[in-house]
């Protein structure tokens, strides 16, 4: 899986993320990554900037920057 190639993800966490998506449905935000078993605060910080979230149904995202390369820690600066 390509998820294993994301910096900060190993095979175990990538598998947990895939299983979470398969059972709970698509992620609605980067913040929802925190609900995946195995993704703690440090892993979240490491991976959040590499994963983009898009709405498959065409609805706008609650946080449009989730679909960008901007890391969540820099959202305030990106909005300025």
């Amino acid at each position: 899986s390509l998820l294993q190639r994301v910096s900060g993800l190993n095979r175990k966490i990538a598998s947990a993320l895939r299983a979470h998506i398969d059972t709970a449905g698509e992620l609605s935000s980067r913040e929802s990554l925190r609900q995946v078993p195995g993704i703690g605060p440090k892993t979240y910080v490491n991976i959040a900037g590499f994963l983009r979230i898009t709405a498959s149904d065409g609805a706008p995202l609650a946080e449009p920057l989730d679909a960008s390369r901007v890391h969540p820690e820099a959202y305030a600066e990106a909005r300025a």
Side-chain angles (χ1 to χ4, degrees), residues 11-65:
R11 186 178 353 175
K12 182 179 176 183
I13 298 173
S15 294
L17 177 55
R18 182 76 254 165
H20 179 81
I21 292 169
D22 288 345
T23 58
E26 294 183 9
L27 299 171
S28 59
S29 67
R30 281 184 175 149
E31 191 63 33
S32 64
L33 288 166
R34 296 179 188 269
Q35 299 169 359
V36 177
I39 297 181
K42 188 173 182 178
T43 301
Y44 174 78
V45 168
N46 288 335
I47 67 172
F50 294 106
L51 299 175
R52 296 182 193 164
I53 308 298
T54 58
S56 63
D57 61 2
L61 293 171
E63 176 51 73
L65 290 173

